[in-house]
Structures are given as C-alpha cells and as structure tokens.
Amino acid sequence: MKLDKRIQKDLKDLYNGGATPGVIKDALGLNGLIQTKTGQTSFATKALPGYYTGNRKAKTVMVMLNPGIDVNVANNNLICDILKASMVNAGDVKGYHKWCANYGHIDKSRQDNFDLKQAFFLHYWKNTDIALPKSLCAKPKSDSQTLLDAKEIVLTEKLQLELIPYASSSFSSFTKGKISLVFPFVETLFDEIFSQDRTYVIFCSRKFERVFKEYNKKHPGSIDFKGFFSQNIDGSKIKGSCTKICIHYNNKSLNAIIANTFPNQALPNAYYLMEEYGTFCYNVFNNIP
C-alpha cells in the first residue's frame, strides 16, 4: 500500500464519521508485535500517526522505527495534536500533509536532542541537499539559536520516515512469530523511498537488520547484505557499527546503510560523538578507507 493511501485510510479510521476518536485498524492489527505495559496495545490506536516529516522529494532519507510516545499519552492527545497541527479534524488529509512537511518550522522553538543529533550525524556528509548552519559546531558547542536552527533545517530539508507510524514509549524486541506483521509497512517504506531519486538512505536502528533478514526469507533477493563495519568512536568507550545493504524493489536498486548505533542512549547529548559516528557511516557508505 502506498504511503498516501495508508494515511488516508488511517485518518478515515480516526475521523470515525465525525465522532473522533475512532480506532486505527492497522495499528490495532499490530497488537502483540512488541511487548508493552500491562493494559496497553503495542502501539497507539487513537492518535495521529507519524508517517513522515520534511521533504518527500529530498535526496537524503533517514528512517526511524516509530514515534517515541507512551501509548496512553498518545491516545489521549488526539484533539490537542489536531489543534497544534492546524487540522480541521482527523479527516483533514491535506492539513495532515501540510503539518508533516512543515513540522520542522512548527517545532522550531523546542530543543530536542533526538532531532538535533540527526544534524550532527549528517554534519560532514557531502551532497545531502541539507544546508546546515555554517556556524554549527559540536566542540565547543554552538549557541542555542544555532542549535535550534540546525534542528529546524534537518527536520525540514531531509525526509524522515517511520517504519511504524504509531506511537509507543519504546520499541522492544519483536514477539516470536509476529515480525511478518511489519512486512506491509516495509513495502510502503520502499515504495516511498524509490518514488524519487535518493542520494542517501539511512535506517537508524539495528532492528532494521532483523526485519530485513526476515523479509528476505519471504522475498529472496530483495536485500543484499554487503558487509558489517565497526569502529571505536574517538573520545568514548562506544563502538559504532553499521551495515551496508543494497535494496532491490520494482526492478530498481539502491544502496543504503543501517546505522546500528544511532539510537544508543549515550549519544543524544554527545554531539561530538554523533559527528564522529556519522562520519564513520558516511565513509562506509562511500567506500572511503
């Protein structure tokens, strides 16, 4: 299913004939995919889905697992989120796309380490079409306005996709026998990624390797694993790693990497370390010794 079709379907479920909130059936269908708190579904079923942010035609794509919000909090915030997004209601598809494209501008006054670390990860990548501030510096750290500007730019000028657009507080291990539930969402990702010419595609979690290996069993030859690479990150005890892959979809092929260490909890506040790790991944992507 194409991304636009998924969004329309989910928002129709949420609008529920005008009596918001309804239940997103595809989110409910993922129940049990990952373990969660007692009494909660695996993912939020009554919240705005977070399919993407930024420029859908961008040359640089970063793919995350899913929005990191507690299920109950997300389910209870629908009306508030619609108002913040300036959507008329949960069925406002046009307003939803406007919100996704402009999220970086809408959120420009809020410091967020997870979003900002994307800017430092990509800081020394060439030809990304992301015009980060020339004054951006991790060591010594840039002033707060420069950091906010970098966050706004990276959220607006790249494309960020989510494997699962429904919120959970964490993305725990896959429940045995359930991982195939993800495969239709993998194909939606691939369809969107291959809809434009891309320069860089980066999957930002080690869990993508597990997903792709299992997907390959059902669709042999879809993904070639080119190699696993690791390196100590200067100034820390962290060992960064990434996996280089080639994706084959609809008679097209595209190189990508899985940035295994990207979600490491030791990295979000350590901008210099994220720069180091990002440079390592860039070198792997481009076969630089």
Side-chain angles (χ1 to χ4, degrees), residues 19-49:
T20 23
V23 173
I24 299 177
K25 296 180 181 66
D26 285 347
L28 192 62
L30 291 171
N31 202 22
L33 175 66
I34 59 172
Q35 296 181 356
T36 188
K37 297 175 183 177
T38 303
Q40 288 189 354
T41 53
S42 290
F43 301 98
T45 60
K46 299 179 181 181
L48 277 181

Side-chain angles (χ1 to χ4, degrees), residues 139 231-238 240 272-274 276-277:
K139 202 174 185 179
Q231 176 178 292
N232 291 326
I233 299 177
D234 289 346
S236 78
K237 296 180 181 179
I238 298 171
Y272 175 73
L273 301 182
M274 186 53 70
E276 290 287 319
Y277 177 59

Side-chain angles (χ1 to χ4, degrees), residues 140-179:
K141 188 171 73 172
S142 295
D143 63 83
S144 60
Q145 187 57 54
T146 299
L147 296 178
L148 286 173
D149 291 345
K151 170 180 161 274
E152 178 182 358
I153 289 166
V154 80
L155 287 177
T156 306
E157 296 184 3
K158 78 172 192 319
L159 172 62
Q160 179 174 319
L161 295 169
E162 306 285 344
L163 171 64
I164 303 297
Y166 318 121
S168 65
S169 57
S170 65
F171 202 111
S172 56
S173 298
F174 295 106
T175 303
K176 187 176 181 180
K178 293 276 191 176
I179 198 168

Side-chain angles (χ1 to χ4, degrees), residues 21 46-48 69-84:
K46 299 179 181 181
L48 277 181
I69 308 169
D70 181 80
V71 169
N72 287 342
V73 172
N75 281 340
N76 290 330
N77 278 354
L78 178 62
I79 303 303
C80 177
D81 288 345
I82 288 171
L83 292 173
K84 285 195 289 186

Side-chain angles (χ1 to χ4, degrees), residues 42-60:
S42 290
F43 301 98
T45 60
K46 299 179 181 181
L48 277 181
Y51 275 96
Y52 75 95
T53 57
N55 178 10
R56 291 178 70 179
K57 296 182 178 180
K59 297 293 186 183
T60 301

Side-chain angles (χ1 to χ4, degrees), residues 1-263:
M1 190 182 295
K2 293 182 180 294
L3 180 61
D4 288 307
K5 187 69 174 178
R6 279 200 180 277
I7 291 168
Q8 290 170 8
K9 184 175 181 294
D10 284 356
L11 295 190
K12 185 177 180 181
D13 286 349
L14 270 181
Y15 190 50
N16 198 28
T20 23
V23 173
I24 299 177
K25 296 180 181 66
D26 285 347
L28 192 62
L30 291 171
N31 202 22
L33 175 66
I34 59 172
Q35 296 181 356
T36 188
K37 297 175 183 177
T38 303
Q40 288 189 354
T41 53
S42 290
F43 301 98
T45 60
K46 299 179 181 181
L48 277 181
Y51 275 96
Y52 75 95
T53 57
N55 178 10
R56 291 178 70 179
K57 296 182 178 180
K59 297 293 186 183
T60 301
V61 182
M62 297 183 80
V63 188
M64 309 299 172
L65 289 170
N66 78 313
I69 308 169
D70 181 80
V71 169
N72 287 342
V73 172
N75 281 340
N76 290 330
N77 278 354
L78 178 62
I79 303 303
C80 177
D81 288 345
I82 288 171
L83 292 173
K84 285 195 289 186
S86 298
M87 293 169 62
V88 175
N89 51 48
D92 183 4
V93 177
K94 184 177 180 180
Y96 178 85
H97 282 289
K98 186 176 180 180
W99 172 59
C100 291
N102 292 288
Y103 178 75
H105 300 313
I106 295 167
D107 195 53
K108 66 181 181 179
S109 298
R110 184 180 65 90
Q111 288 281 6
D112 185 282
N113 285 323
F114 183 83
D115 291 338
L116 183 55
K117 77 175 185 177
Q118 299 172 38
F120 283 103
F121 179 89
L122 294 169
H123 195 184
Y124 293 119
W125 289 55
K126 299 177 181 178
N127 304 314
T128 60
D129 281 359
I130 301 171
L132 292 170
K134 292 182 179 179
S135 59
L136 183 65
C137 183
K139 202 174 185 179
K141 188 171 73 172
S142 295
D143 63 83
S144 60
Q145 187 57 54
T146 299
L147 296 178
L148 286 173
D149 291 345
K151 170 180 161 274
E152 178 182 358
I153 289 166
V154 80
L155 287 177
T156 306
E157 296 184 3
K158 78 172 192 319
L159 172 62
Q160 179 174 319
L161 295 169
E162 306 285 344
L163 171 64
I164 303 297
Y166 318 121
S168 65
S169 57
S170 65
F171 202 111
S172 56
S173 298
F174 295 106
T175 303
K176 187 176 181 180
K178 293 276 191 176
I179 198 168
S180 62
L181 294 175
V182 171
F183 295 168
F185 293 88
V186 170
E187 290 165 0
T188 298
L189 279 182
F190 288 173
D191 185 84
E192 182 68 15
I193 289 168
F194 278 84
S195 69
Q196 304 286 332
D197 291 332
R198 311 294 187 184
T199 303
Y200 302 114
V201 177
I202 305 152
F203 296 91
C204 298
S205 171
R206 188 184 301 272
K207 286 185 171 66
F208 282 105
E209 183 167 340
R210 166 85 190 281
V211 170
F212 292 158
K213 284 182 176 178
E214 293 297 323
Y215 183 83
N216 244 4
K217 292 178 182 178
K218 185 174 181 180
H219 303 281
S222 295
I223 299 149
D224 292 332
F225 289 84
K226 299 293 188 179
F228 173 85
F229 304 85
S230 65
Q231 176 178 292
N232 291 326
I233 299 177
D234 289 346
S236 78
K237 296 180 181 179
I238 298 171
K239 194 163 191 172
S241 71
C242 63
T243 304
K244 193 168 184 178
I245 62 175
C246 183
I247 305 169
H248 308 285
Y249 183 76
N250 281 350
N251 298 314
K252 296 180 181 179
S253 297
L254 183 148
N255 289 323
I257 63 165
I258 303 172
N260 302 318
T261 317
F262 186 88

